[in-house]
Amino acid sequence: MALPCDSDGICMFCKTKPTILETLICNTCITPWHVPCLPVNHRPLNMPDAGKWVCPDCLIMSTEPVTGSNHGGGGGSLMAAVRVIQLDATLSDEEKDKKRQELLIGSLKVNDGNCAEGDAVNSVLDVFDGSECSICMQLPERPVTTPCGHNFCLRCFEKWISQGSGKCANCRCLLPPKMAKNPRINSQLAIAIRMAKMARSGCDVPGGPPKVYQFIHNQDRPDSAFTTERAKKPGLANACSGKILVTVPQDHFGPIPAENDPTRNRGVLVGDTWMNRMACRQWGAHFPHVSGICGQSTFGAQSVALSGGYVDDEDHGEWFLYTGSGGRDLSGNKRTNKNQSFDQKFENMNEALRLSCLKGYPVRVVRSSKEKRSAYAPDEGVRYDGIYRIEKCWRKVGKQGCKVCRYLFVRCDNEPAPWTSDDCGDRPRPLPKIKELKGAVDLAERKEAPSWDYDEEKGCWLWKRPPPESRKLAGTVSPANGNTGKVKRKLKTASVKEKLLKEFACQICRKVLANPLTTPCAHNFCKACLEGVFSGQSFVRERACRSGRSLRTQKNIMKCPSCQNDIAEFLQNPQVNRPMMGIIEALQREAEEMEEKCSESSGKNDENEKNVSEVSEQCDSSEEVLEEIKDNNMNRANKFRKCDKGASVENEEE
């Protein structure tokens, strides 16, 4: 490996100070090199060629393009600009040094003749100012982020570590030995830089070439779930849904009646069983084929599935205690993780269930044979068990130590349950006593009359209030006009900077990073989230033997929430990643400015529409006045004609 001389003129390879005759100076970066320590292929053949000699580092930069942070050119364009400065005879040596320094730090733009393209790139890449590699001062290629918050190219970092330094090249903080030996790439920063570079070519950005999506209409789907050619796994692991056989929208509340079942003309009845969730979706009992909750946080929940996903669930047939969703780390290859790692909150699907509780909406319930702890689960497949209503919801500490959202479901269906021998449906019953309500928090109960309730006169459960209007039409063909009835929505196209902002998400709370921390294993978290995971845990553990003699303390292992690496030393003094925080703040400011501009433009459009409507009303009124004048003239002419005819008749009689 070739290494130059340091600032004192000592060769970094052989640790000796070379003489003037043994020293070569690079024509580009003006760095001294020891000739005997250079590889043979990098030494000049003749002494006259020494004035044009280029060091190995600059030669690599000229052959391998590295995108800069303040200009659109790569390493080749940077080297060309340096050579132009060197060959300019009108500049003195001091002026050449100054221009070369300005070019390297990025304050002088490279004149490639593509100013418009460079400006377009700068508008996207300006947010990465301050995140350059601390060694080459370019946007990091395969970025490595140290625990102290500094970014490096992987190649620059490895070269720096190979020199025997175990400290950060920027702040000289001591690096963890494991990170110095095996550095990890910061994937979130790499993806964000890649998206910014893609904006230069117009790919996957507004105005660029649109993506092609494959879509199959409901009438063109087969009668059962199928596997496409792209899904190579056997079975229904990657299967697509079959044809939806009912005419209800996906946000339909309550039972599915016979008028919405054109195939069988009987609706979905209690006790209907399907082989899997894909077939259950086709009949509308529970549309999601993976998620256990079907609903919207601002609209309510329509159905739930009991499949044994959470250990806190309790099933008692006519009533059960249901656990909300979330609280698990599903990043990476942990899509089936069943361990709670953080608290659940009333948001997203949990908020949808809470809204159905407060409004008293009916919720369809299906039970799966995967629930092995319940005596009411079917032996195989998925079974529809009727309508339930959520009476209470609260939060409490679950069996795994984290808070979970809990819901009390009580059955209120007009058909008997599949496990009973009754010949009639449910009747209003008193609520069961729940012991865990003593330590519950955030308790929510319905204070108004429920929308779905029992009618004493008719003796059945029905809607006491009009059901909420659907936001998603069923999409079936109406016999009157043949239209599909689908509403065309204006899709909000996110800008490149909004997409970049979504990439900087915490791997615990899934929101935009606040006070970001980058662990030695290259995972990014909010500071509050990461400290909350390990709150109450000490870094060392006191030990004692049975005789009472105290033993040596033992270090507690604190594993990263996204991997199995120990980050206990990092948590003792975590440093906020300032460059990443600067990028996020810049993106947030620009997103707010874009929203303000959009709101102003929408206000102007509303004013223009009002003016157009007023002008049209004036035109309509003027047309009405003209019509009235014409009618009056016609009436007068007719009167005159009648008078003339009458006079002639009288004259003849006389």
Side-chain angles (χ1 to χ4, degrees):
M1 179 180 293
L3 295 176
C5 299
D6 58 11
S7 59
D8 297 330
I10 300 174
C11 178
M12 300 172 66
F13 187 80
C14 63
K15 306 300 181 182
T16 61
K17 189 172 184 178
T19 61
I20 298 177
L21 297 177
E22 295 178 344
T23 304
L24 268 178
I25 297 177
C26 177
N27 187 35
T28 302
C29 62
I30 320 298
T31 303
W33 292 75
H34 191 196
V35 177
C37 296
L38 282 171
V40 178
N41 57 341
H42 287 290
R43 297 177 186 177
L45 298 177
N46 301 318
M47 289 306 296
D49 297 336
K52 300 179 181 180
W53 180 76
V54 180
C55 67
D57 290 346
C58 296
L59 190 63
I60 292 173
M61 290 179 62
S62 62
T63 56
E64 296 185 3
V66 181
T67 303
S69 60
N70 290 330
H71 51 80
S77 60
L78 178 64
M79 295 299 301
V82 172
R83 290 193 181 96
V84 170
I85 296 173
Q86 285 294 111
L87 296 175
D88 193 353
T90 60
L91 299 176
S92 62
D93 293 340
E94 294 180 357
E95 291 175 348
K96 288 180 180 180
D97 294 340
K98 185 177 180 181
K99 283 187 172 292
R100 190 188 305 109
Q101 186 179 7
E102 290 177 352
L103 181 64
L104 292 176
I105 64 175
S107 61
L108 185 63
K109 293 185 180 180
V110 181
N111 186 12
D112 288 338
N114 297 327
C115 298
E117 182 181 356
D119 293 340
V121 176
N122 290 339
S123 62
V124 181
L125 296 178
D126 281 346
V127 296
F128 292 96
D129 288 343
S131 299
E132 299 87 355
C133 173
S134 300
I135 297 177
C136 66
M137 298 305 296
Q138 307 290 335
L139 272 183
E141 183 73 19
R142 297 184 179 92
V144 175
T145 305
T146 60
C148 50
H150 298 113
N151 300 315
F152 301 91
C153 302
L154 178 61
R155 187 168 185 171
C156 297
F157 184 80
E158 290 177 344
K159 186 174 181 180
W160 171 259
I161 295 298
S162 65
Q163 297 176 6
S165 176
K167 298 181 180 180
C168 175
N170 195 333
C171 63
R172 299 299 190 270
C173 290
L174 189 64
L175 298 176
K178 190 174 182 179
M179 180 191 178
K181 184 179 179 180
N182 184 21
R184 303 292 298 274
I185 296 174
N186 192 340
S187 59
Q188 283 184 304
L189 184 58
I191 292 172
I193 295 174
R194 185 194 314 140
M195 291 180 64
K197 290 180 180 179
M198 289 173 64
R200 174 180 55 189
S201 58
C203 298
D204 195 18
V205 294
K211 282 187 175 181
V212 178
Y213 296 96
Q214 296 182 358
F215 177 76
I216 302 177
H217 291 277
N218 187 42
Q219 60 270 19
D220 298 331
R221 291 179 179 270
D223 294 336
S224 60
F226 65 99
T227 304
T228 59
E229 296 179 357
R230 295 177 61 187
K232 301 300 182 183
K233 289 185 177 181
L236 297 177
N238 291 327
C240 297
S241 171
K243 185 185 297 182
I244 304 300
L245 302 175
V246 292
T247 59
V248 295
Q250 293 190 8
D251 56 356
H252 170 75
F253 287 91
I256 300 175
E259 54 265 22
N260 295 114
D261 184 4
T263 305
R264 303 176 300 182
N265 198 24
R266 70 176 181 88
V268 179
L269 304 179
V270 174
D272 285 354
T273 306
W274 303 276
M275 290 301 297
N276 48 55
R277 293 272 292 270
M278 301 295 288
C280 174
R281 166 187 167 81
Q282 292 184 252
W283 291 99
H286 185 68
F287 279 101
H289 57 277
V290 175
S291 175
I293 306 172
C294 174
Q296 303 79 31
S297 60
T298 59
F299 194 58
Q302 294 85 32
S303 61
V304 297
L306 289 173
S307 56
Y310 290 85
V311 296
D312 297 279
D313 291 346
E314 297 181 17
D315 192 2
H316 300 274
E318 279 73 18
W319 64 274
F320 61 88
L321 295 177
Y322 191 75
T323 307
S325 63
R328 294 174 174 175
D329 180 20
L330 302 179
S331 61
N333 57 353
K334 302 177 182 179
R335 302 302 300 173
T336 58
N337 185 17
K338 293 186 177 182
N339 297 323
Q340 297 287 123
S341 57
F342 55 94
D343 296 342
Q344 293 182 359
K345 298 179 181 179
F346 285 116
E347 57 186 9
N348 300 332
M349 293 300 179
N350 296 338
E351 178 62 22
L353 289 173
R354 181 173 172 271
L355 183 60
S356 292
C357 171
L358 298 177
K359 298 290 185 180
Y361 291 154
V363 181
R364 297 186 299 274
V365 174
V366 297
R367 283 181 171 87
S368 173
S369 58
K370 294 182 179 179
E371 176 58 273
K372 304 298 182 182
R373 298 165 299 176
S374 174
Y376 302 92
D379 295 333
E380 60 179 0
V382 182
R383 185 185 65 206
Y384 173 61
D385 287 344
I387 298 297
Y388 284 70
R389 196 172 63 189
I390 307 175
E391 301 297 337
K392 295 180 181 180
C393 60
W394 62 92
R395 289 203 311 155
K396 66 110 180 180
V397 179
K399 295 181 180 180
Q400 295 183 354
C402 298
K403 289 184 179 179
V404 293
C405 299
R406 302 281 282 168
Y407 304 89
L408 173 61
F409 280 76
V410 178
R411 197 173 191 276
C412 50
D413 199 286
N414 293 318
E415 299 182 47
W419 52 83
T420 63
S421 57
D422 299 336
D423 57 352
C424 60
D426 298 304
R427 294 291 184 269
R429 58 171 61 90
L431 298 180
K433 294 181 180 180
I434 310 298
K435 296 181 180 180
E436 66 182 52
L437 285 175
K438 295 180 180 179
V441 295
D442 301 334
L443 178 63
E445 295 183 87
R446 185 174 51 255
K447 297 181 180 179
E448 57 184 11
S451 301
W452 176 267
D453 203 0
Y454 187 78
D455 193 338
E456 296 291 345
E457 296 180 357
K458 297 182 180 180
C460 63
W461 298 87
L462 48 80
W463 286 97
K464 289 291 187 178
R465 297 179 182 177
E469 296 182 0
S470 173
R471 298 181 182 180
K472 301 178 182 179
L473 298 181
T476 55
V477 178
S478 58
N481 51 12
N483 296 329
T484 57
K486 290 186 177 180
V487 179
K488 293 183 179 180
R489 298 181 178 179
K490 293 183 179 179
L491 298 177
K492 182 181 179 182
T493 57
S495 63
V496 181
K497 295 175 181 177
E498 290 178 351
K499 293 180 180 179
L500 286 175
L501 192 61
K502 290 182 180 179
E503 291 298 329
F504 293 104
C506 173
Q507 298 185 15
I508 295 178
C509 65
R510 304 298 176 186
K511 296 181 180 179
V512 180
L513 289 164
N515 295 326
L517 298 177
T518 303
T519 61
C521 48
H523 294 115
N524 302 310
F525 305 96
C526 300
K527 185 176 182 180
C529 296
L530 190 61
E531 291 178 349
V533 172
F534 299 99
S535 62
Q537 299 183 24
S538 59
F539 295 103
V540 293
R541 182 177 55 185
E542 300 291 341
R543 296 188 303 164
C545 60
R546 295 181 180 179
S547 61
R549 184 171 59 89
S550 60
L551 301 176
R552 187 170 54 184
T553 58
Q554 187 177 10
K555 174 187 172 183
N556 277 335
I557 297 177
M558 298 180 178
K559 294 183 179 180
C560 174
S562 296
C563 63
Q564 299 297 319
N565 290 322
D566 184 16
I567 57 173
E569 294 182 0
F570 170 76
L571 291 174
Q572 292 180 7
N573 186 22
Q575 299 293 328
V576 176
N577 193 338
R578 299 292 177 182
M580 185 176 290
M581 188 169 66
I583 295 173
I584 294 171
E585 290 176 352
L587 292 172
Q588 288 176 341
R589 285 195 302 268
E590 294 180 2
E592 291 175 358
E593 292 176 359
M594 289 295 294
E595 290 180 358
E596 292 177 358
K597 291 180 181 179
C598 293
S599 61
E600 291 177 0
S601 61
S602 62
K604 291 180 180 179
N605 293 333
D606 295 339
E607 292 179 358
N608 294 333
E609 290 178 358
K610 289 182 180 178
N611 295 332
V612 171
S613 62
E614 290 177 358
V615 171
S616 62
E617 289 177 358
Q618 292 177 1
C619 294
D620 295 339
S621 61
S622 61
E623 291 176 358
E624 292 176 357
V625 171
L626 291 174
E627 290 179 358
E628 290 180 359
I629 293 172
K630 289 180 181 179
D631 293 339
N632 294 334
N633 292 334
M634 293 293 293
N635 292 333
R636 289 181 181 177
N638 292 332
K639 288 180 181 179
F640 288 139
R641 289 174 183 173
K642 289 180 181 179
C643 293
D644 294 341
K645 290 180 180 179
S648 62
V649 171
E650 290 177 356
N651 292 331
E652 289 177 357
E653 290 178 355
E654 291 178 354

